[in-house]
Amino acid sequence: MAPSRPQTVAALLADTEPFKRLTPAQRQRLVAASRERRYAKGETVFREGQPADAVCIVKEGRVHLIKFLEGGQASTTCVMTPGETFCCLPALDRKPYPADAVAAADSVVVRVPTEAFHQLLQENPTFLQDSLCLFCDRLRQVEQKSCLAYDSVERRLAQALLGLSKKFGATVPLTKHELAELAHTTVETTIRILGHFRKQGLITSARGSTTISKPETLRRLAGL
Amino acid sequence: MAPSRPQTVAALLADTEPFKRLTPAQRQRLVAASRERRYAKGETVFREGQPADAVCIVKEGRVHLIKFLEGGQASTTCVMTPGETFCCLPALDRKPYPADAVAAADSVVVRVPTEAFHQLLQENPTFLQDSLCLFCDRLRQVEQKSCLAYDSVERRLAQALLGLSKKFGATVPLTKHELAELAHTTVETTIRILGHFRKQGLITSARGSTTISKPETLRRLAGL
DNA sequence: GGGCGTGTATGACGTGCGTCACAGAGTGTT
DNA sequence: AACACTCTGTGACGCACGTCATACACGCCC
């Protein structure tokens, strides 16, 4: 069997936006051009400012998109899980990657060359339309999120947990440190506030994971 | 002369993104469908959640895009000046307006019906491409900005001033209250920090405006 | 076993900035 | 002139949260 396992990749694409509505033949063209790569935990997939040579899809593991603020403080803007596509933005406007991408666990990533993606955009108005809608959604999300930035840490943490539970289910496999980077705060504050949540019976917490026991109450607390 | 002054509107469109590269005939079609309206200071152009019936271009005055946070606190996300187009997002995905738009001064706004805009998108791949690029830029901007949210108020104010000076020149005609809403802070803190800037000779300030005297130093302070 | 790195936890301390209270200066309106 | 309203400015106070120090539990490697 070939190391790139093309049939599996095709199945992955068939199930992820914006590739869902492509014909099998079109998908096959992308698959043929794309390559699969394994990243060890902590390894960098790409860096902010690099020319964007590929659109990426997570196949296994977990990849974090990270921005570095003034003073070197890391802030993860997004947690990508299997089946999620990231950075089609550069494929549309051919500008560099807007953030760092780092494997937060041992991961497998499918890389579709920007060229192939872009060519398909030109040829296929439906694909263009779908990509566009994906983008509009993303823009709305980001605008929404930038409003939450001014909430209290308690709220941001509650929202981070709820967002992650959509991807992972009730138990979220992130360390407190990773949660802190997501909620733009420090580990200490994160631990303290999760402590409050625990005392209220909203969550239970273990080494490397925290599980939500009362999502409703947490949602109220998050202001949603 | 007709009250909508079509020839002036055409000239306006010819000079603003994403309409620049349209042919005069195509622009004329948009102009014919669009309407000009005057808004008094404080008047609402549209509200968040309303169906988006028009793409708007500021012709005179100043329009603020405003989000209301939990607790009713207003936060202006964007200051639109003459020649700027706002809310093409809903024209692309046909979803509601994502924010309130309020005239911050007596203003004149050209409203291009979403339908006309959308139809042109379908017919004209170049126009679609240009709109797309405008969007990608906007997405990058917003992502950038959402990082700045976690900076100190001092930095956010410095950045707000510098950003505004690109549109208005050295003297920025906003009240301290408006600056506060832009930097997501309170009037009191804004006044205090502008006070520091003034003592350092970076700015001078008057009723309803502040003028930047040392943009370089301010830029350093803003971390840019 | 003993070291070492990482994740979790808790306390003490300082501070940026929001909140409240008050006041003068400018502008418009009757 | 008198009043109301907005804009600007200053001081006092409190609190959420960042910073620093310390400690213990767990896994990994020699």
Side-chain angles (χ1 to χ4, degrees):
Chain A
M1 176 178 274
S4 60
R5 293 185 291 176
Q7 72 289 1
T8 314
V9 174
L12 183 67
L13 287 194
D15 205 36
T16 93
E17 291 290 1
F19 309 105
K20 278 185 180 174
R21 293 174 61 200
L22 289 177
T23 66
Q26 288 168 330
R27 261 200 300 274
Q28 195 49 49
R29 263 180 52 204
L30 285 184
V31 171
S34 66
R35 293 181 46 184
E36 199 174 318
R37 214 191 120 177
R38 182 168 291 276
Y39 293 90
K41 176 176 173 177
E43 208 175 339
T44 301
V45 179
F46 53 72
R47 289 201 181 283
E48 178 170 355
Q50 279 183 351
D53 55 331
V55 175
C56 299
I57 302 135
V58 181
K59 194 177 163 193
E60 295 171 28
R62 172 159 61 92
V63 175
H64 288 193
L65 297 184
I66 301 178
K67 281 260 191 191
F68 288 91
L69 312 179
E70 305 291 328
Q73 193 198 353
S75 145
T76 108
T77 59
C78 220
V79 175
M80 310 306 300
T81 51
E84 292 187 291
T85 308
F86 57 101
C87 284
C88 357
L89 173 58
L92 285 186
D93 65 2
R94 295 163 168 279
K95 287 183 183 166
Y97 288 121
D100 284 27
V102 174
D106 292 345
S107 303
V108 177
V109 171
V110 176
R111 303 174 59 107
V112 180
T114 302
E115 267 329 303
F117 188 94
H118 206 263
Q119 202 171 338
L120 200 54
L121 277 179
Q122 305 280 30
E123 293 170 12
N124 186 341
T126 312
F127 185 53
L128 180 58
Q129 191 70 31
D130 285 357
S131 301
L132 208 74
C133 277
L134 200 64
F135 261 57
C136 291
D137 285 350
R138 176 130 182 81
L139 185 54
R140 285 174 192 269
Q141 269 174 35
V142 173
E143 276 182 341
Q144 192 57 37
K145 200 181 154 200
S146 79
C147 281
L148 308 181
Y150 301 96
D151 278 357
S152 68
V153 172
E154 187 174 66
R155 264 197 182 169
R156 299 205 303 265
L157 266 175
Q159 279 162 1
L161 283 174
L162 290 168
L164 289 168
S165 76
K166 280 182 195 155
K167 302 190 176 186
F168 293 105
T171 130
V172 172
L174 300 213
T175 66
K176 312 294 180 254
H177 183 79
E178 288 173 316
L179 285 177
E181 284 195 349
L182 248 180
H184 296 267
T185 181
T186 59
V187 206
E188 295 94 324
T189 306
T190 302
I191 290 173
R192 271 186 257 267
I193 290 182
L194 290 187
H196 302 165
F197 289 172
R198 192 160 9 95
K199 277 172 198 155
Q200 296 175 256
L202 304 180
I203 62 166
T204 59
S205 118
R207 185 185 179 84
S209 77
T210 106
T211 105
I212 302 176
S213 21
K214 295 189 183 169
E216 278 317 316
T217 322
L218 201 59
R219 196 160 300 136
R220 241 187 346 90
L221 230 164
L224 298 178
Chain B
M1 176 177 276
S4 60
R5 291 184 292 172
Q7 71 290 1
T8 315
V9 175
L12 183 65
L13 287 194
D15 205 35
T16 94
E17 293 289 0
F19 309 104
K20 279 185 180 176
R21 294 174 60 198
L22 289 176
T23 65
Q26 288 168 329
R27 261 199 301 273
Q28 195 48 49
R29 264 181 52 203
L30 285 184
V31 170
S34 66
R35 293 179 47 183
E36 198 174 320
R37 213 191 120 179
R38 181 168 292 276
Y39 294 89
K41 176 177 175 177
E43 207 175 339
T44 300
V45 178
F46 54 73
R47 289 201 181 281
E48 178 171 355
Q50 279 182 351
D53 57 329
V55 175
C56 299
I57 303 135
V58 180
K59 194 177 164 192
E60 293 171 27
R62 171 160 61 93
V63 175
H64 288 192
L65 298 184
I66 301 179
K67 281 259 189 189
F68 288 91
L69 312 178
E70 305 291 329
Q73 191 198 354
S75 146
T76 108
T77 60
C78 221
V79 175
M80 309 307 299
T81 51
E84 293 188 290
T85 309
F86 56 103
C87 284
C88 356
L89 174 57
L92 284 185
D93 67 2
R94 295 163 167 279
K95 287 183 183 165
Y97 288 121
D100 285 27
V102 174
D106 292 345
S107 303
V108 177
V109 171
V110 176
R111 302 175 60 108
V112 179
T114 301
E115 268 328 304
F117 188 92
H118 207 265
Q119 203 173 337
L120 200 54
L121 276 181
Q122 305 279 30
E123 294 170 11
N124 186 341
T126 312
F127 185 53
L128 180 57
Q129 190 70 29
D130 285 358
S131 300
L132 209 73
C133 277
L134 201 63
F135 260 57
C136 292
D137 285 350
R138 177 129 182 82
L139 185 53
R140 285 173 191 271
Q141 269 174 36
V142 173
E143 276 182 340
Q144 192 57 39
K145 201 180 155 200
S146 78
C147 282
L148 307 181
Y150 300 96
D151 278 357
S152 67
V153 172
E154 187 173 66
R155 265 200 181 166
R156 299 205 303 267
L157 267 176
Q159 279 163 0
L161 284 174
L162 289 169
L164 290 167
S165 77
K166 279 183 195 155
K167 301 190 177 188
F168 293 105
T171 130
V172 171
L174 301 211
T175 65
K176 311 295 181 254
H177 183 78
E178 290 173 314
L179 284 177
E181 285 196 349
L182 247 181
H184 296 267
T185 182
T186 59
V187 206
E188 295 94 324
T189 306
T190 302
I191 289 171
R192 270 186 256 267
I193 290 182
L194 291 186
H196 301 165
F197 289 172
R198 191 162 6 97
K199 276 172 200 157
Q200 298 175 255
L202 304 180
I203 62 165
T204 60
S205 118
R207 184 185 181 86
S209 77
T210 105
T211 105
I212 302 176
S213 22
K214 295 190 184 169
E216 279 317 315
T217 323
L218 201 59
R219 197 160 300 137
R220 240 186 348 88
L221 230 164
L224 299 178

